[in-house]
Amino acid sequence: MRLTAADIHFSYNGRPVLSEVGFSLKCGQIMCVLGVNGAGKSTLLKCLNRIIEPRSGSVHLGTDDLLSMNRNDIAKKVGYVPQRHPTTRLSVFESVLLGRKPHIRWAAGKDDYAVVEAVIRQIGLERLAMRPVENLSGGEVQKVVIARALAQSPNVLLLDEPTSNLDLGNQMEVMALIRRIVRTRGLFAVVAIHDLNMAVRFGDKFLFLKDRQIHSLASREELSAETIEQVYGVKVTLKEINGHTVVVPV
């Protein structure tokens, strides 16, 4: 099964934001969406699960046409982690349980509670399960939001700047967590991210947006300093340090 987007077009008030954007992902892959501020990274994520309606284009998960589904059915297939999320007095358990909403008809049942408990264990939030979310650190809150998306039992994760406002240690922990979950569950992940080094360390594919369109779509092996320079207007070099590729401005 593949996640495939084709010919995505979107405009704000008649102003083109995305034009002819498409890609294809395999299970277990993380695609990082990169580009300067205003390139359309967040907009693309919102088009993929129809938070906003693309003017044209298609998004398929295997044979399922996601853009033709109602929002509840999309939420069973696609988990979305927004860039900003309000604080809440709900406990961690209650907040994660909200992710089961697309599957609940009248009230949460044993199966829903079992899913939430399993996700909380997988994310490592057991000791925080009864603590109010508003009392958590930034890194802990981000894990709760990811856990809530996973409680939807999705095939696809869309994550908008999952490391923003986190310190370096929490950035590494959150991105490693995302990679582990994607690999072990066989999910597809599309991550809009500013930090090139986090992207290069944890991503499998890299979609660079520029001037409303795809500038390039590269695998890890195809990634080049020239592409980064053309997109960001900054001269860089790619260095190998302890087995990891690092982007260094020069």
Side-chain angles (χ1 to χ4, degrees), residues 3 23 25 31 33 45 48 156-160 188-192:
L3 174 66
F23 61 86
L25 279 184
M31 185 180 77
V33 184
L45 263 62
L48 295 178
V156 180
L157 280 179
L158 306 177
L159 303 108
D160 194 356
F188 306 87
V190 181
V191 182

Side-chain angles (χ1 to χ4, degrees), residues 122-188:
Q122 184 177 23
I123 304 296
L125 293 170
E126 301 101 312
R127 67 182 180 83
L128 303 175
M130 295 298 111
R131 189 178 297 182
V133 174
E134 66 180 0
N135 292 344
L136 303 183
S137 70
E140 290 166 342
V141 170
Q142 194 70 318
K143 291 178 186 178
V144 172
V145 179
I146 293 170
R148 185 170 62 204
L150 288 172
Q152 295 171 222
S153 300
N155 302 101
V156 180
L157 280 179
L158 306 177
L159 303 108
D160 194 356
E161 296 291 346
T163 60
S164 63
N165 301 316
L166 298 182
D167 61 55
L168 181 59
N170 275 306
Q171 289 179 38
M172 292 287 290
E173 188 175 356
V174 165
M175 289 302 295
L177 173 65
I178 291 166
R179 183 172 62 183
R180 175 168 58 83
I181 289 166
V182 169
R183 299 282 198 269
T184 58
R185 291 194 173 204
L187 304 182
F188 306 87

